[in-house]
């Protein structure tokens, strides 16, 4: 099961993410966002089936450059990367199947 940890304000630089090897899921949101809170069981269900991937929960908002570099507009937004390249994104997931479809693009 994916650990229910808070969004961190300590975001890596975009350049660091662009060179990461393997699979990474970046989840943008805030700890006080109702949409983010409601999506956590869905996210945990889908990502819990893929323990080997990197999952970063990044706090987003005004002045947060990483979210702007990915053109994040709504929370939560999950960006699915393989070797630093965006393969899929899901905004405000309502069911685990949406995330499963995005994860399938990482194969």
């Amino acid at each position: 099961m994916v650990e229910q940890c808070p969004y961190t304000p300590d975001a890596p630089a975009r350049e660091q993410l662009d060179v990461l090897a393997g699979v990474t899921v970046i989840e943008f949101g805030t700890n006080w966002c109702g949409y983010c809170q409601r999506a956590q069981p869905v996210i945990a269900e889908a990502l819990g089936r893929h323990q080997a991937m990197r999952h970063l929960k990044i706090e987003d908002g005004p002045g947060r450059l990483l979210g702007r570099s990915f053109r994040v507009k709504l929370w939560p937004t999950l960006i699915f990367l393989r070797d630093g390249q965006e393969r899929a994104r899901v905004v405000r997931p309502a069911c685990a199947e949406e995330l499963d479809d995005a994860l399938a693009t990482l194969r």
Side-chain angles (χ1 to χ4, degrees), residues 12-82:
R14 175 65 188 258
E15 296 77 22
Q16 292 174 295
L17 296 175
D18 290 343
V19 298
L20 281 178
V23 174
T24 303
V25 177
I26 307 169
E27 179 183 345
F28 290 98
T30 67
N31 295 317
W32 52 263
C33 169
Y35 290 106
C36 300
Q37 293 167 4
R38 283 190 294 281
Q40 290 311 299
V42 168
I43 294 167
E45 178 184 341
L47 299 187
R49 294 190 286 266
H50 303 274
Q51 295 290 320
M53 81 176 85
R54 188 181 300 110
H55 177 210
L56 306 174
K57 291 181 74 166
I58 306 296
E59 185 177 290
D60 192 38
R64 305 281 181 172
L65 299 179
L66 187 60
R68 304 298 66 74
S69 76
F70 281 102
R71 294 183 174 89
V72 171
K73 304 268 189 222
L74 298 171
W75 303 323
T77 293
L78 290 94
I79 309 286
F80 296 79
L81 306 174
R82 173 168 284 290

